[in-house]
Amino acid sequence: MRDTTTVEDSMTDTQLAGASAGAAAPEGDGKKKKEREASLWSDAVSDLRRNPVFIIGALLVLFMLVVSAVPSLFTSIDPFAAGSCQLGDSLKKPSADHWFGFDIQGCDVYARTVFAARNSVIVGIVTTALVIIVGGSLGLLAGWVGGITDSILSRFTEIFFAIPLLLGGMLIMSALPGNAWTVSIVLATLGWPQIFRIMRSSVLQNKNNDYVVAARALGAGTMRITLRHILPNAIAPVIVVGAISLGVYISAEAALSYLGIGVQPPQISWGLMVSDASVRWLQAPHVLLFPAAALSITVLAFIMVGDAVRDALDPKLR
């Protein structure tokens, strides 16, 4: 991983430049090379702007975020309102007035699909944030400190690695109330070890680089080295995995809700809608098609964004 640090402390950077000049005669383009290396993030942003996969994925993600945040902008029907579902409309097919038709309870499938985005997206975002914070912090600590701290944290992580995500989620959720926040915490509890290992490995690769050794020799404190040198260079693979995993956690929530131990009625999620539709999907395929399509498109969008970010941040792919 290349150095991504920027010039903020003029005294420290001047000393670094002097130390480099004294150790070996720099080439004429040494300064330009350092400037190129320091622009990893700006180069990544530039690549992403030209990447059609990222643009399409980002637009889909943005659209889903808006839908989940303000569902009332996209439908005038409130599926939680009294009288919004009429058994007389049960399993009616799509029409000009009701684009996605009605489900078995006589509820408008389009309105439920729109409002279901909130719980599904909340689970993905909250779980990913918790996983990055917990796993990234512990991985940074283990990789930087090393020794007994690294050994204890690594052995502790292996315990959680032995628990399959869905199987562990099913076991824990069977004893907890089913809502988006509970599902997020359970999935984060089981998912952080992956980020831990990635962060720890990235820190170990960067902690002995020349710029870290030079900063330590010049008297930079542990906190400054960690935040200014180690973290900016080690965080890139974590961001990539986090972006891809966000779609995975949305799928995991859908699987748990489908099994009846995730989000529970009267709340709505795409997995819960697919579960309800599975009883009559041969008779009324539209009841299953639309929430399943929304789930698939959302997961695909986050995976597209994650793949594009990975390609932009991986120097080996340049």
Side-chain angles (χ1 to χ4, degrees), residues 1 4 40-41 198-199 202 231-242 309-310 313-314:
M1 186 66 66
T4 61
L40 172 62
W41 292 98
I198 294 173
M199 176 62 86
S202 186
L231 185 58
N233 288 282
I235 196 66
V238 173
I239 294 176
V240 172
V241 174
V309 173
R310 178 199 61 197
L313 291 177
D314 191 347

Side-chain angles (χ1 to χ4, degrees), residues 1 3 32-33 50 63 69 105 111 124 150 156 169 175 177 179 183 200 207 211 224 232 243 264 285 296:
M1 186 66 66
D3 184 10
K32 294 181 179 179
K33 181 179 180 180
R50 299 192 300 268
F63 175 74
Q105 300 295 332
D150 184 19
F156 180 70
N179 57 65
V183 174
R200 174 182 176 274
K207 66 183 293 185
Y211 57 87
R224 177 179 174 81
Q264 300 292 318
S296 300

Side-chain angles (χ1 to χ4, degrees), residues 59-77:
L59 289 176
L60 288 173
V61 168
L62 180 61
F63 175 74
M64 288 301 176
L65 291 176
V66 174
V67 170
S68 62
V70 196
S72 58
L73 287 178
F74 301 88
T75 177
S76 59
I77 300 175

Side-chain angles (χ1 to χ4, degrees), residues 21 26 127 209 269 277 286 295 318:
T127 303
N209 284 346
S269 81
H286 65 275
L295 173 63
R318 293 184 181 278

Side-chain angles (χ1 to χ4, degrees), residues 88-140:
D89 295 327
S90 178
L91 299 181
K92 284 186 177 180
K93 295 182 179 180
S95 63
D97 295 328
H98 302 278
W99 298 346
F100 293 0
F102 294 88
D103 64 10
I104 193 172
Q105 300 295 332
C107 303
D108 186 275
V109 175
Y110 173 74
R112 287 177 62 83
T113 301
V114 170
F115 275 82
R118 174 171 296 176
N119 280 326
S120 298
V121 172
I122 283 176
V123 169
I125 293 177
V126 173
T127 303
T128 302
L130 291 175
V131 162
I132 290 178
I133 292 173
V134 176
S137 299
L138 293 178
L140 180 63

Side-chain angles (χ1 to χ4, degrees), residues 120 123-124 126-128 130-131 164-170 172-173 180-193 245-246 248-254 256:
S120 298
V123 169
V126 173
T127 303
T128 302
L130 291 175
V131 162
L165 181 65
L166 279 180
L167 182 59
M170 292 168 56
I172 298 174
M173 284 302 303
W181 302 103
T182 304
V183 174
S184 299
I185 294 174
V186 170
L187 292 178
T189 301
L190 300 173
W192 67 267
S245 297
L246 201 154
V248 174
Y249 293 132
I250 292 178
S251 298
E253 178 276 324
L256 292 175

